[in-house]
Amino acid sequence: STPGSQASHFRAQLFNTHSRLIGQAINGRRSGGVIYFDFSQQGISSYGVRITSTNSFAVADAKVFSSSGISFDLVTPFQDAITSLSDQWRLAGTVGGLSIFHFQGTIVPTRLIDDGRVGGSRLESTRSLAWGDEFDVVHAAKPVTLTRSMAYLPGWRVTAFNLTNHKTEALPVSRHGLVLSTRVPKGKWQIHWHYHAPYIELGLASTVLATFLWLVAATFLLIRVSTRRRTKVGS
């Protein structure tokens, strides 16, 4: 399902495992808020489908129906990421069940985005550390999105230090396609990206508690052994 004014604005064509287009491009047809593409007349074995439109659009979800009526849901976090970046990612091939995608655009490790409209905002400097942390100095003329080409994982955190009033605040970390992003407020900031493994505090507390209990048990055992020895000597 995808937004759009008319189904005829959407065209689709199949491609094979070598990312080559095959068969004929067909027009979509609308049913409610869903666009359908019927490839049943082509009889072509295909790995994927390319969808284009004269208007901008976003894919909300995607399903493939076989001739026997079986449906396959294509919505996964990775599929969503590839869909949102479909103009830059290309399927290069498959090895067994592994799909290989190539990024066709220019890789910019850290950058400001907002559909290209960042106004007078700028990324002034970037400094990466060997263990994965990064420090960025951002001058935001308005709230802007800062992305970093590091794979999104739960546990990434961003701390922002305001270089004007010297206040520190935590910024939310979200997914932009496959990589990290955060929303930077207006102002001049030093942005610190750092990874904090989920549940590390719980794991540390468990370790401390287990060590304490082990020491208590060891002390109790030593006292008991010592008491028994004194009792035998006295007797």
Side-chain angles (χ1 to χ4, degrees):
S1 60
T2 178
S5 57
Q6 297 180 15
S8 59
H9 288 165
F10 295 91
R11 290 177 63 80
Q13 188 171 2
L14 300 174
F15 60 83
N16 59 21
T17 56
H18 299 289
S19 200
R20 296 191 182 94
L21 294 172
I22 54 178
Q24 299 295 319
I26 62 174
N27 291 325
R29 59 182 181 86
R30 176 179 291 278
S31 176
V34 178
I35 304 297
Y36 289 91
F37 301 97
D38 185 2
F39 291 99
S40 61
Q41 303 302 317
Q42 297 195 20
I44 296 174
S45 178
S46 173
Y47 186 81
V49 58
R50 184 182 74 172
I51 301 174
T52 58
S53 174
T54 54
N55 300 324
S56 60
F57 68 96
V59 177
D61 59 72
K63 289 183 181 293
V64 173
F65 295 90
S66 68
S67 57
S68 59
I70 299 176
S71 65
F72 301 88
D73 194 340
L74 302 184
V75 176
T76 65
F78 183 73
Q79 180 68 33
D80 290 343
I82 295 299
T83 300
S84 66
L85 299 174
S86 58
D87 60 331
Q88 296 174 309
W89 289 88
R90 294 290 183 271
L91 177 68
T94 58
V95 179
L98 176 66
S99 299
I100 302 173
F101 289 86
H102 284 175
F103 184 68
Q104 305 295 310
T106 302
I107 296 178
V108 180
T110 305
R111 61 173 181 164
L112 295 176
I113 62 169
D114 263 343
D115 299 326
R117 300 184 297 272
V118 296
S121 303
R122 61 187 182 275
L123 175 63
E124 296 189 347
S125 66
T126 295
R127 179 169 62 93
S128 298
L129 303 182
W131 52 86
D133 284 28
E134 180 174 295
F135 292 86
D136 305 319
V137 176
V138 175
H139 184 277
K142 64 175 185 177
V144 293
T145 298
L146 176 69
T147 65
R148 183 188 178 200
S149 59
M150 178 72 70
Y152 176 86
L153 287 174
W156 276 104
R157 299 183 181 182
V158 170
T159 303
F161 176 72
N162 191 299
L163 296 174
T164 302
N165 58 26
H166 306 294
K167 293 183 178 180
T168 301
E169 62 180 274
L171 301 182
V173 179
S174 56
R175 182 198 302 272
H176 178 74
L178 297 176
V179 300
L180 302 171
S181 72
T182 189
R183 191 69 174 170
V184 181
K186 181 179 179 180
K188 188 172 183 178
W189 304 86
Q190 182 186 68
I191 306 298
H192 178 197
W193 303 85
H194 52 109
Y195 185 75
H196 191 84
Y199 310 114
I200 190 171
E201 294 91 349
L202 180 60
L204 180 60
S206 299
T207 301
V208 171
L209 179 61
T211 303
F212 174 75
L213 293 176
W214 183 87
L215 290 174
V216 170
T219 302
F220 175 78
L221 182 60
L222 289 174
I223 293 173
R224 187 172 181 181
V225 171
S226 178
T227 302
R228 285 184 176 180
R229 285 180 178 176
R230 287 198 300 269
T231 302
K232 287 182 179 180
V233 171
S235 60

